[in-house]
Amino acid sequence: DQQVKQNSPSLSVQEGRISILNCDYTNSMFDYFLWYKKYPAEGPTFLISISSIKDKNEDGRFTVFLNKSAKHLSLHIVPSQPGDSAVYFCAASGINTGKLIFGQGTTLQVKP
Amino acid sequence: GAGVSQTPSNKVTEKGKYVELRCDPISGHTALYWYRQSLGQGPEFLIYFQGTGAADDSGLPNDRFFAVRPEGSVSTLKIQRTERGDSAVYLCASSLGLAGGETQYFGPGTRLLVL
């Protein structure tokens, strides 16, 4: 039972264009959603998060959008840079727990 | 300041053996988490600690897996009678507190291979 799903295993975009990574979830009790980025042989690195009471959070080139009615969130990266090439994980947690439920990940390749 | 460190970085063992994986969290972080990541999958929650006590161990797959954090800092994940299916990257993370949405900082992981 996959509570957090990233249905696109990979995405390729041109440098300077927008990258959009998607994530769906099934548990309406999730209160926080986070995006992590992972390079090979390294642990995941926190990128950006959003609380369930918001629908948008922006940090520089990264914006996360949350659509609670659709149980869907997306990460927008604009403009994309070659250094953004990595695996991106969507994760969710409840209000009183730090336990993260991760999606399967999407491998982003940004071509110069 | 130092991040989360994990030792060993790689561990090869034979089926049936016992292994211990160590995690040193960021100093001052009270919460510590263990996850397991299999090839092509996202990290899967195993257990987390608030201080010395296990706050949630619902992700441990069976009683061969056990974790301790005796002094509220370093943690050890112990796997008895290892099986080939235990092969994965074991990730440790720590955070300042346990509030939902609290940023978790991950270590580089221990790659366990059971032959």
Side-chain angles (χ1 to χ4, degrees), chain B residues 42-54:
Chain B
E44 174 191 12
F45 171 78
L46 296 177
I47 184 171
Y48 75 81
F49 293 85
Q50 172 67 1
T52 60

Side-chain angles (χ1 to χ4, degrees), chain A residues 38-53:
Chain A
K38 187 180 183 302
Y39 293 117
E42 295 183 10
T45 303
F46 172 75
L47 202 53
I48 191 169
S49 64
I50 187 167
S51 161
S52 62
I53 63 173

